[in-house]
Amino acid sequence: MNIILAQQNYHIGNFEKNIAKIIDGINAAKAQGADLVVFPELCVCGYPPRDFLEFEDFIAQCYHAIDAIKTHTKDIAVLVGGPARNPQREGKDLFNAAWFLYEGEVKQVVHKTLLPTYDVFDEYRYFEPSYEWNIIPFKGKKLAVTICEDIWNLGDNPLYRICPMDQLIAQEPDVMINLSASPFDYDHDEDRKEIILANVLKYKIPMYYCNAVGSQTEIVFDGGSLIYDAQGNIAKELPYFEEAMDGMELEKLVGSHLPPVKPADFTPLTELVFDHNIDRIYDALVLGIRDYFGKMGFTKAILGSSGGIDSAVTLAIACDALGKENVRAILMPSPYSTSHSVDDAVALSKNLDNPYDIIRINDIYETFLTTLEPYFKGLPFNVAEENTQSRIRGNLLMGLSNKFGYILLNTSNKSELSTGYGTLYGDMAGGLSVLGDVYKMQVYSLARYINREKEIIPANIIDKAPSAELRPDQKDSDSLPDYAILDRILYQYIERRQGPREIVAQGFDAALVSRALKMVNTNEYKRNQFCPIIRVSSKAFGVGRRVPIVGKYLS
């Protein structure tokens, strides 16, 4: 039995395009002599569809997609993901399902059992968990089909009270097949391999694991679909961050003469490693930008180029994602901008060969100050005057965006967003945040990765002390702790959910920890108004992190 995995990139709610892509995959699998082709979770509608699932018309179009796809299954079996209606009055109206199509018919429908409700997932909001488990008989073999989370309950601290494969293994299946939409984060690919291996070693049969690829607003799916033999060896690994198809005959996975693999010795990150999987982070950000623009119908981006590290890295990644000619950089020096910052920003755009303009804001800034002078009443210079510069820049960028159809890329990093080191309606403006899930020290690692073959980002941008340049001789260190220390504290609190006592016990200064955590919690109101952030960590700001704006905890 030849089983092919179709790792594809879908567009949520774009049924016509998704159907055509799936049918193309079926035809390609036929050409490769496949008996069965497997597609990812909820592929007919795209994942995650969220509240679209509450519209009956949306569900009807999902069913129409299944009807269209099944007409192409006369001589090949197909497993596709899509919602299925719940015939019982009790419970939720839908199941998250895998549809087994063959000979032009729906032969069987498998329902997902384990419905994640953590981080970016909210599946129990829409779906009913499965209450029955049956293998799929096909060409003399028994297929144990599961959906994404269904295989993730084998750890020392199970999240769910049931494990679907424990039910299915009693029916003596020959192979496990998992339809998945597993998001990327920079520590997840090895975690994923560990859990698949754990399933193979426990149930002693091969596994075909088909993951989605592509970005859906803030969530990036990295592909990397896998085929494991019965001994736990990786027989096939599909590429990351791109569409691909590949497969293998089931018999070759069962009759392997390789020795059994020992259980994986995977240890999740317990502290922030600044350059960990930096190449994967880069690829995820490129895909995140490219798909956001492509699926929204946008073609051109604009951003403020300051001569600083964050805007430099954002510009370089955007040029890779969209093409250098489609990314416009605007340099907006103020009275406090240093000449070398302007020179650095110009050198960067010349290296990248992208269009750029210089718009000095000195006169606009003076007009604002003159207008506000009667109301400021001679009070000392402070953040009000600083933020006015940032908001002028935001207005200029949005004016150009509106006039020429650009999408403004935000350049703030995760360290700044964590601590509130940004100006609402100024440098926090944007349609998409590129670095909002990347800590400052990781931004430097990205810059070095971008320069791995030749200097694209000028060395002075990387070497100089970071500064917002909103007052004379300003440095980030005037207001923030050293990033190398701050980022490690933030990682413990945000990604690892460690409290102040646990963080201090790791050797960090108690006063610094208290200050950092207070900055995080008191600035939730800013982040709540922020644009979508491309997710690359296990805990990004946005849909996957829900904390009260007015909470007192640690503030």
Side-chain angles (χ1 to χ4, degrees):
M1 182 183 294
N2 187 14
I3 301 176
I4 299 287
L5 303 180
Q7 176 178 291
Q8 295 184 329
N9 185 344
Y10 306 102
H11 187 183
I12 295 171
N14 190 340
F15 292 99
E16 182 178 355
K17 184 174 180 179
N18 293 345
I19 292 169
K21 187 181 288 282
I22 292 167
I23 291 172
D24 285 346
I26 293 171
N27 291 332
K30 287 179 181 178
Q32 295 180 41
D35 298 288
L36 168 64
V37 57
V38 182
F39 294 88
E41 177 181 16
L42 290 182
C43 58
V44 300
C45 60
Y47 188 96
R50 295 185 175 148
D51 283 5
F52 281 164
L53 293 166
E54 296 177 351
F55 291 82
E56 175 54 33
D57 177 67
F58 187 85
I59 303 306
Q61 292 200 52
C62 291
Y63 271 71
H64 169 74
I66 297 295
D67 287 339
I69 294 166
K70 73 182 183 183
T71 62
H72 295 265
T73 64
K74 182 179 179 181
D75 48 7
I76 187 173
V78 174
L79 271 167
V80 292
R85 295 188 180 100
N86 182 3
Q88 304 293 329
R89 292 189 62 186
E90 300 83 6
K92 306 292 175 63
D93 292 337
L94 298 170
F95 292 102
N96 183 341
W99 297 71
F100 184 71
L101 314 176
Y102 185 50
E103 297 176 330
E105 300 176 358
V106 176
K107 295 291 188 180
Q108 199 163 325
V109 182
V110 173
H111 300 152
K112 187 174 182 177
T113 304
L114 308 183
L115 304 176
T117 57
Y118 55 84
D119 199 66
V120 297
F121 304 105
D122 202 6
E123 291 197 25
Y124 194 65
R125 178 183 176 98
Y126 312 104
F127 298 119
E128 180 74 4
S130 182
Y131 45 78
E132 60 181 14
W133 302 272
N134 297 294
I135 56 93
I136 297 176
F138 178 60
K139 290 193 171 182
K141 301 293 183 181
K142 298 177 181 179
L143 316 180
V145 176
T146 57
I147 303 172
C148 202
E149 187 84 353
D150 285 344
I151 63 171
W152 283 82
N153 206 42
L154 297 185
D156 295 333
N157 184 23
L159 184 61
Y160 309 94
R161 296 181 182 275
I162 195 170
C163 190
M165 272 307 304
D166 286 347
Q167 310 297 317
L168 291 167
I169 199 67
Q171 301 173 48
E172 300 182 347
D174 298 289
V175 62
M176 295 178 281
I177 300 174
N178 185 265
L179 288 70
S180 194
S182 179
F184 168 80
D185 74 59
Y186 52 72
D187 201 30
H188 193 49
D189 56 342
E190 294 302 320
D191 190 24
R192 191 186 295 150
K193 289 177 180 176
E194 178 194 34
I195 202 69
I196 296 172
L197 176 58
N199 277 267
V200 171
L201 296 180
K202 179 177 180 179
Y203 302 113
K204 298 180 174 56
I205 54 176
M207 178 181 282
Y208 291 79
Y209 173 89
C210 186
N211 193 26
V213 70
S215 182
Q216 309 291 0
T217 310
E218 62 276 278
I219 305 174
V220 179
F221 298 97
D222 56 338
S225 300
L226 294 155
I227 301 175
Y228 275 71
D229 69 18
Q231 285 73 37
N233 300 285
I234 297 178
K236 292 274 186 178
E237 182 175 8
L238 274 62
Y240 288 81
F241 303 106
E242 62 183 74
E243 293 187 310
M245 290 186 68
D246 205 348
M248 202 165 185
E249 292 180 5
L250 175 58
E251 288 72 19
K252 293 181 179 179
L253 303 175
V254 178
S256 171
H257 298 294
L258 295 172
V261 173
K262 293 181 180 180
D265 188 21
F266 170 75
T267 303
L269 288 178
T270 56
E271 62 181 30
L272 182 61
V273 179
F274 302 142
D275 59 355
H276 179 68
N277 276 346
I278 205 69
D279 55 339
R280 295 276 175 91
I281 293 175
Y282 180 88
D283 290 342
L285 295 174
V286 169
L287 181 57
I289 296 173
R290 186 175 292 151
D291 269 9
Y292 185 82
F293 277 70
K295 292 175 182 179
M296 293 288 284
F298 304 134
T299 57
K300 295 185 177 183
I302 193 170
L303 56 82
S305 182
S306 67
I309 189 73
D310 302 312
S311 61
V313 168
T314 302
L315 180 57
I317 294 173
C319 286
D320 192 351
L322 303 174
K324 61 187 181 182
E325 69 280 3
N326 295 316
V327 186
R328 186 176 180 183
I330 308 297
L331 290 61
M332 295 167 286
S334 78
Y336 308 113
S337 300
T338 58
S339 59
H340 65 74
S341 290
V342 178
D343 294 341
D344 291 342
V346 169
L348 171 66
S349 281
K350 287 183 176 179
N351 289 347
L352 290 167
D353 195 27
N354 71 280
Y356 70 93
D357 299 277
I358 301 176
I359 305 175
R360 296 193 175 274
I361 68 169
N362 300 44
D363 293 342
I364 304 173
Y365 180 50
E366 287 301 322
T367 300
F368 266 76
L369 294 184
T370 301
T371 302
L372 290 168
E373 186 175 5
Y375 308 98
F376 282 3
K377 298 179 179 179
L379 292 170
F381 183 102
N382 69 357
V383 293
E385 287 84 359
E386 292 183 22
N387 290 345
T388 295
Q389 299 165 69
S390 184
R391 293 191 178 109
I392 289 169
R393 291 173 173 136
N395 272 306
L396 291 171
L397 289 167
M398 287 309 303
L400 292 167
S401 173
N402 291 160
K403 183 61 70 174
F404 299 106
Y406 294 108
I407 295 301
L408 175 58
L409 293 178
N410 183 273
T411 63
S412 301
N413 62 63
K414 191 171 188 176
S415 308
E416 294 170 346
L417 288 178
S418 299
T419 56
Y421 195 69
T423 303
L424 278 174
Y425 328 118
D427 60 337
M428 292 185 73
L432 180 68
S433 170
V434 178
L435 300 178
D437 197 29
V438 181
Y439 288 110
K440 187 76 169 188
M441 296 306 295
Q442 291 176 303
V443 176
Y444 283 104
S445 293
L446 280 170
R448 288 188 287 271
Y449 178 76
I450 290 166
N451 284 2
R452 64 194 182 279
E453 296 179 357
K454 64 178 182 178
E455 183 175 285
I456 295 173
I457 298 176
N460 192 51
I461 291 179
I462 299 173
D463 295 337
K464 67 187 175 186
S467 171
E469 294 190 336
L470 298 176
R471 65 173 183 266
D473 300 320
Q474 184 183 31
K475 299 288 186 292
D476 287 9
S477 56
D478 299 338
S479 305
L480 296 174
D482 180 80
Y483 283 117
I485 299 172
L486 175 64
D487 288 354
R488 289 187 172 98
I489 294 173
L490 295 174
Y491 178 82
Q492 293 300 321
Y493 181 54
I494 297 167
E495 273 84 350
R496 300 197 66 230
R497 272 84 80 192
Q498 299 292 296
R501 292 183 181 179
E502 292 91 342
I503 299 174
V504 170
Q506 296 178 36
F508 294 101
D509 178 74
L512 179 56
V513 170
S514 177
R515 178 186 168 208
L517 271 52
K518 181 176 181 179
M519 285 192 288
V520 175
N521 284 14
T522 56
N523 283 288
E524 183 63 25
Y525 77 98
K526 285 188 176 183
R527 293 187 293 271
N528 199 58
Q529 302 176 65
F530 196 58
C531 57
I533 300 169
I534 300 174
R535 177 186 183 271
V536 297
S537 78
S538 60
K539 184 60 67 174
F541 293 126
V543 296
R545 186 177 186 272
R546 307 174 192 180
V547 300
I549 292 175
V550 297
K552 179 62 177 172
Y553 176 61
L554 301 180
S555 63

